[in-house]
């Protein structure tokens, strides 16, 4: 309030403390939002309502065709029903047919040959705000 800034979480954090200058010139900058997504599940197989296994155990392979679930990929599909360019988080399958979760939808059944790695999975998702 003293500095005449908007009420946002990151500006509140910038104004806390004795070392904050009287004028803050960074108010129009984009803010990096980091969200912890994890590296998957430690559950070895799915269970039914009684606790007995209903699926087989997970594969010990994390990487399929050089990709692993959580990687950010760019897929340029040139033929078939799903022609287009998709950028998003990939979910891998052993068959090589991947799912790509974009900002607005999930595209299923994209062949690994169309995919190019943009960012390797590190357990976090990144976004910016203006």
């Amino acid at each position: 309030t003293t500095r005449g800034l908007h009420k946002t979480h990151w500006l509140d954090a910038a104004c806390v403390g004795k070392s904050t200058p009287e004028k803050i010139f960074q108010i129009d900058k984009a803010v990096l939002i980091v969200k912890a997504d994890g590296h998957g599940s430690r559950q070895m197989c799915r269970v039914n309502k009684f606790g007995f296994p209903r699926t087989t155990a997970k594969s010990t392979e994390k990487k399929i065709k050089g990709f692993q679930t959580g990687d950010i990929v760019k897929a340029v599909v040139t033929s078939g029903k799903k022609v287009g360019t998709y950028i998003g988080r990939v979910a891998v399958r052993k068959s090589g047919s991947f799912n790509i979760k974009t900002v607005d939808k999930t595209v299923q059944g994209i062949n690994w040959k169309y995919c190019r790695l943009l960012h390797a999975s590190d357990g976090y998702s990144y976004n910016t705000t203006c």
Side-chain angles (χ1 to χ4, degrees), residues 42-106:
R42 290 179 57 105
Q43 187 174 15
M44 286 306 293
C45 70
R46 304 283 181 218
V47 293
N48 64 11
K49 65 181 180 179
F50 304 108
F52 290 101
R54 65 177 174 90
T55 59
T56 59
K58 287 193 306 188
S59 172
T60 56
E61 282 184 67
K62 281 187 95 169
K63 288 196 179 267
I64 307 293
K65 309 287 187 187
F67 300 95
Q68 81 178 45
T69 297
D71 289 348
I72 305 299
V73 298
K74 179 178 183 178
V76 181
V77 182
T78 56
S79 63
K81 289 183 185 178
K82 299 174 179 86
V83 173
T85 302
Y86 308 101
I87 298 175
R89 186 175 189 269
V90 71
V92 299
R93 293 193 200 115
K94 195 169 187 177
S95 65
S97 177
F98 298 165
N99 291 354
I100 299 177
K101 185 176 181 183
T102 63
V103 175
D104 54 342
K105 63 181 176 178
T106 300

